[in-house]
Amino acid sequence: MSEQLTSLVNKMTLDEKIAQLIQLATPFYKGASNEGQITGPMAEMGITKDVIINSGSVLGASGAKTTKNIQKTHLKENRLGIPLLFMADIIHGYKTIFPVPLAIGCSWDLKLAERSAEIAAKEAAVSGVHVTFSPMVDLVRDPRWGRVMESTGEDPFLNSEYAKAFVRGYQGEDLTNDKNRVAACVKHFAAYGAPEGGRDYNTVDMSERQLREYYLPAYKAALDEGCEMVMTAFNILDGIPATGNKKLMRNILRGEWNFDGVMISDWGAVKEQIAHGFAADKKDAAQKALTAGVDIEMMTTCYVHHAKELIDEGLLDEAVVDEAVIRILELKDKLGLFENPTRAADEELEKEIVFSVSHRQAARELASKSSVLLKNDGVLPLQKDQKIALIGPFSENNDLLGPWSWIGSKEDAVTLSEGIQSKIDPSLLSIEKGSDVETITQSQIEKTLEAAANADVVVLALGEDSAMSGEAKSRADIRLPQAQLELIKALKPLGKPMAAVLFNGRPLDLHGVVDQADAVLEAWYPGSEAGSAVADLLYGDAVPSGRLTMSFPYSVGQVPVYYNCYNTGRPQTTPDAKGEYVSQYLDIPNEPLFPFGFGLSYTTFSYSDASLSSDVLKTDRPIQLTVDVTNTGDVKGEEVVQLYVRDITGEVVRPLKELKGFEKVSLEPGETKTISFTISEQQLRYYHPDLSFESDPGEFTAYIGPNSRDVTAHPFKLEK
């Protein structure tokens, strides 16, 4: 710590130190646009003027004028002139909204993911924000959970790669001097993405080996990339709330991983230790969270009301408070706030930068590359002289940003109808809502049938509204709402070619859609440029290249269903093994409807001449797997070449496949490229029963292909 910060801490009273540890929402601060609008639970927090004056950070303030006003007013009143940190949920864009993170994951494009974070940081920084609560790197396997849309999927390796890309985008190479960047906060530590039953905030219970093998790697990857902050999870882990989990935060995070940055609770999570049955009262909650290593308490008052009392009674060492304060002040110093408290906030530049044309174009490109073509029986791409009936509740609906778009405005979103109208003569397009998201009337059906009867192709715009995904939005039935399924069923007898476009935040059970429509395009929540990007794909001005990073279940009864599962002792060897005593369902397949890594294109690709450089891998001698990939179609396209490995026998049973590498390659029609992957001993390591992380000599199989299902096998041995 610098001499300046040491001197500052020595000047602070205990009350001033403790107040640095609370984060309050904007209504508490003078200069905020919603100043004084303290209602509901906030009104019952018992926040004094002194606490506000000495508080350390602000939640949810935005806009250069507002953040500058709050900061300047605060500095006039704060005795020691300690600036505030402004933090916010900038999950997939500030004002320019990119696709939701699950969609970004499906792009398999780390450079574009990094670019999206860089743009989000630039818009946020010029608007006065210093920290974003992103990336969310929770590994997810259960689409019932509403927050899967914030994750990049079910694979620890791929999630780790995206975690690093997002941190690079937000923070850049020099956070102190690059004022267009913001500090990143990885979340939710840890294993928040594994709630029982897919129900948000619910119990998480797993072995430590599983935690380390699958759930911790992406958090570690973000921190290795320099992520400045970590946010705790709402859930319990091994029976202890993450926010009071000393093993997680003191032993693993700070001990093993040497993280010395700021740890913040999620909203209200410190106090929620009481509801969990882990803390007796707010005083006990404060003692346990501080002891565990949580520096900032978000939107509850356990610290400011009880930390001093705990110290006076000898139940808490003041050094614990000091170390938390020091970490907070060091982050403020790294961001240059003591020299320039308003950092990059600039009203004039804000007008120029936020939601700029170039930013929107980047959002359009990523939305196009994030969409996944799940089915196409020759309907797509559409021809620009075809008569189109655009039907469905999302035909002219601008609810396309997703539930965590914050500053993003639905009114600014390009609708699908607007996107299509930009491509064709308006006289060729008829539009009918067909149904609402969850209800349908006979009158709507009649109008729909009339519009569709005169069309060459029906384009269905279907999905979930944004209130059906996100935090606290778990769903037990993950099919499309019944009204939309009835709409499809009503249209089917017309015999018109139907292409369904899906706007949603989770993998769905697509029965009633994929078996009725001739083409299915999964567009997710595409963001600000939704309609333009989807229209580009529908008309072939862009070629689908997205690949799933989360399996689509055949039925919710399979959930959780994921590609990197175990074989079991009685594996199902053939799909028609009914009556045999094997691991299977009697009424549905074991396999998902669409597997991890799957996605179609408007062209086709072939794989040939796959080979290993050697069938023996040694610790000091990696091997290479090469394969020729050819575009066998008529249009330029991008293929995601995927490498998987299986450890045949281990001290702990190993997954059937594990993603170890990928490359997204662009190919002209008829063009062939040779793709090469290196397989090293380090990639074969895993957590053993004693939690040692090492590889075992023996038999392995490498797999190469376009997804986790359609692969060719190449055996090799590891010798030590």
Side-chain angles (χ1 to χ4, degrees):
M1 184 171 65
S2 68
E3 291 184 9
Q4 177 193 9
L5 293 185
T6 301
S7 174
L8 181 59
V9 172
N10 290 335
K11 293 176 184 177
M12 296 174 73
T13 67
L14 181 55
D15 285 335
E16 287 172 333
K17 292 176 184 176
I18 293 169
Q20 279 291 308
L21 311 187
I22 191 170
Q23 179 166 104
L24 298 172
T26 54
F28 287 100
Y29 293 91
K30 293 180 180 179
S33 58
N34 57 351
E35 176 188 344
Q37 296 177 23
I38 302 170
T39 59
M42 285 194 290
E44 301 169 4
M45 290 174 65
I47 298 295
T48 65
K49 182 179 178 181
D50 283 344
V51 168
I52 297 170
I53 289 171
N54 293 299
S55 60
S57 59
V58 184
L59 173 64
S62 66
K65 181 178 180 180
T66 294
T67 54
K68 287 169 73 172
N69 285 344
I70 293 174
Q71 189 76 287
K72 289 175 180 179
T73 303
H74 173 80
L75 290 173
K76 289 177 183 177
E77 297 184 334
N78 184 273
R79 182 177 72 90
L80 296 172
I82 301 175
L84 291 162
L85 276 168
F86 292 95
M87 307 189 193
D89 285 290
I90 302 157
I91 308 302
H92 52 106
Y94 177 77
K95 178 70 171 175
T96 304
I97 304 301
F98 290 84
V100 293
L102 184 58
I104 293 175
C106 292
S107 73
W108 296 68
D109 194 321
L110 300 176
K111 290 183 179 179
L112 279 182
E114 181 177 340
R115 176 66 175 147
S116 74
E118 180 183 359
I119 289 171
K122 189 173 184 178
E123 292 191 356
V126 77
S127 303
V129 178
H130 305 140
V131 177
T132 175
F133 295 133
S134 178
M136 190 272 233
V137 301
D138 302 319
L139 185 136
V140 292
R141 293 172 167 174
D142 193 332
R144 294 173 297 182
W145 191 48
R147 297 192 81 166
V148 299
M149 46 74 59
E150 289 182 68
S151 170
T152 48
E154 68 188 45
D155 182 75
F157 166 71
L158 190 59
N159 283 5
S160 296
E161 293 300 301
Y162 276 114
K164 292 185 286 187
F166 287 133
V167 171
R168 288 193 300 269
Y170 288 132
Q171 296 188 172
E173 297 180 357
D174 185 357
L175 181 59
T176 299
N177 296 308
D178 188 346
K179 300 300 191 293
N180 290 324
R181 308 288 181 155
V182 296
C185 176
V186 66
K187 63 184 186 183
H188 305 84
F189 196 71
Y192 180 43
E196 290 183 354
R199 179 160 51 87
D200 210 351
Y201 317 122
N202 201 12
T203 301
V204 173
D205 190 14
M206 66 179 66
S207 69
E208 183 173 349
R209 191 195 61 77
Q210 186 180 26
L211 175 71
R212 290 178 179 270
E213 186 87 30
Y214 299 105
Y215 291 87
L216 293 187
Y219 307 109
K220 179 66 160 54
L223 298 179
D224 287 345
E225 201 65 34
C227 189
E228 293 290 343
M229 288 183 59
V230 176
M231 179 184 286
T232 68
F234 286 117
N235 54 277
I236 65 170
L237 192 62
D238 198 21
I240 300 173
T243 305
N245 198 311
K246 189 174 180 180
K247 181 175 181 178
L248 265 183
M249 292 183 282
R250 291 288 184 187
N251 297 0
I252 296 176
L253 183 67
R254 299 207 185 277
E256 292 181 30
W257 297 355
N258 297 313
F259 175 67
D260 60 358
V262 175
M263 188 87 188
I264 187 170
S265 80
D266 208 333
W267 181 300
V270 171
K271 184 180 176 182
E272 287 173 16
Q273 293 177 101
I274 302 170
H276 276 297
F278 181 69
D281 50 30
K282 291 173 65 177
K283 179 179 175 181
D284 192 26
Q287 193 274 335
K288 287 179 173 173
L290 279 165
T291 301
V294 179
D295 302 315
I296 299 177
E297 177 183 9
M298 184 194 293
M299 287 303 293
T300 48
T301 56
C302 303
Y303 288 7
V304 294
H305 288 164
H306 298 286
K308 187 174 184 180
E309 180 185 358
L310 287 165
I311 291 168
D312 290 342
E313 294 176 1
L315 298 174
L316 181 70
D317 192 331
E318 187 173 347
V320 173
V321 171
D322 285 348
E323 71 174 17
V325 171
I326 289 167
R327 283 192 282 262
I328 295 165
L329 296 180
E330 285 178 335
L331 179 56
K332 293 180 179 184
D333 187 45
K334 179 174 280 191
L335 289 165
L337 298 183
F338 289 101
E339 293 75 27
N340 181 9
T342 58
R343 192 163 158 90
D346 186 309
E347 293 97 319
E348 293 306 312
L349 279 177
E350 185 179 32
K351 296 174 186 176
E352 176 184 326
I353 291 171
V354 174
F355 208 57
S356 66
V357 172
S358 64
H359 290 182
R360 292 174 63 183
Q361 182 56 43
R364 181 173 180 168
E365 181 183 5
L366 187 48
S368 170
K369 291 182 180 291
S370 297
S371 298
V372 184
L373 184 63
L374 298 177
K375 178 181 180 181
N376 188 23
D377 289 345
V379 176
L380 298 178
L382 302 173
Q383 303 304 307
K384 294 182 179 178
D385 59 354
Q386 288 177 316
K387 294 180 182 178
I388 303 299
L390 177 59
I391 293 168
F394 287 89
S395 297
E396 299 179 287
N397 194 334
N398 58 16
D399 187 9
L400 303 170
L401 305 183
W404 272 119
S405 48
W406 195 41
I407 300 299
S409 171
K410 292 180 183 178
E411 288 68 31
D412 292 329
V414 179
T415 65
L416 183 53
S417 61
E418 290 169 338
I420 291 176
Q421 285 167 347
S422 72
K423 300 287 184 183
I424 62 174
D425 186 323
S427 66
L428 296 173
L429 178 66
S430 59
I431 304 170
E432 281 295 336
K433 191 175 183 180
S435 75
D436 293 299
V437 173
E438 297 190 78
T439 61
I440 190 169
T441 65
Q442 185 59 38
S443 174
Q444 286 176 319
I445 292 174
E446 290 170 359
K447 290 180 181 178
T448 295
L449 293 176
E450 183 179 345
N454 297 316
D456 296 319
V457 179
V458 173
V459 175
L460 293 163
L462 311 170
E464 304 174 303
D465 64 45
S466 60
M468 297 170 75
S469 282
E471 185 172 353
K473 300 298 189 297
S474 298
R475 293 182 61 200
D477 184 348
I478 55 172
R479 294 173 296 178
L480 280 180
Q482 186 61 34
Q484 296 180 54
L485 298 179
E486 290 179 15
L487 175 63
I488 302 171
K489 189 175 180 180
L491 285 164
K492 185 65 175 177
L494 293 178
K496 302 286 184 177
M498 291 196 296
V501 179
L502 303 175
F503 300 102
N504 48 286
R506 55 163 57 80
L508 298 170
D509 173 348
L510 290 178
H511 285 94
V513 181
V514 74
D515 49 334
Q516 301 292 315
D518 301 287
V520 179
L521 179 68
E522 175 56 81
W524 308 105
Y525 294 120
S528 299
E529 291 295 312
S532 297
V534 172
D536 287 342
L537 291 166
L538 291 177
Y539 282 94
D541 295 325
V543 176
S545 62
R547 305 291 186 265
L548 297 178
T549 57
M550 193 174 179
S551 303
F552 270 53
Y554 186 92
S555 163
V556 73
Q558 295 175 316
V559 171
V561 59
Y562 47 95
Y563 88 93
N564 47 353
C565 59
Y566 302 126
N567 200 37
T568 79
R570 294 188 175 188
Q572 183 191 55
T573 55
T574 60
D576 58 349
K578 307 306 180 187
E580 299 179 18
Y581 287 91
V582 296
S583 180
Q584 64 182 349
Y585 298 100
L586 295 178
D587 51 349
I588 61 172
N590 285 6
E591 294 73 27
L593 185 62
F594 296 109
F596 177 88
F598 179 82
L600 303 174
S601 175
Y602 291 154
T603 187
T604 53
F605 302 94
S606 68
Y607 288 63
S608 61
D609 297 327
S611 63
L612 290 168
S613 60
S614 172
D615 60 2
V616 177
L617 184 154
K618 295 185 177 182
T619 303
D620 59 350
R621 193 181 74 189
I623 59 176
Q624 283 73 43
L625 192 158
T626 58
V627 63
D628 289 343
V629 181
T630 302
N631 181 343
T632 54
D634 299 325
V635 297
K636 181 180 179 180
E638 291 181 294
E639 172 71 316
V640 180
V641 186
Q642 300 164 39
L643 169 70
Y644 298 88
V645 171
R646 181 184 180 188
D647 186 345
I648 303 301
T649 306
E651 288 190 19
V652 174
V653 295
R654 306 303 302 137
L656 291 171
K657 294 186 185 76
E658 295 179 274
L659 183 71
K660 295 298 181 182
F662 66 93
E663 184 171 337
K664 193 166 190 176
V665 56
S666 178
L667 294 167
E668 297 287 345
E671 183 181 8
T672 298
K673 288 184 179 178
T674 300
I675 309 300
S676 180
F677 294 99
T678 297
I679 306 173
S680 67
E681 179 271 332
Q682 290 86 347
Q683 291 172 285
L684 307 181
R685 296 174 185 176
Y686 67 94
Y687 284 95
H688 285 59
D690 63 357
L691 298 183
S692 61
F693 188 64
E694 57 191 15
S695 61
D696 296 330
E699 303 287 337
F700 290 79
T701 301
Y703 300 94
I704 197 80
N707 58 68
S708 60
R709 181 189 64 198
D710 304 318
V711 293
T712 57
H714 307 275
F716 66 94
K717 294 180 181 179
L718 170 63
E719 293 182 355
K720 287 189 172 182

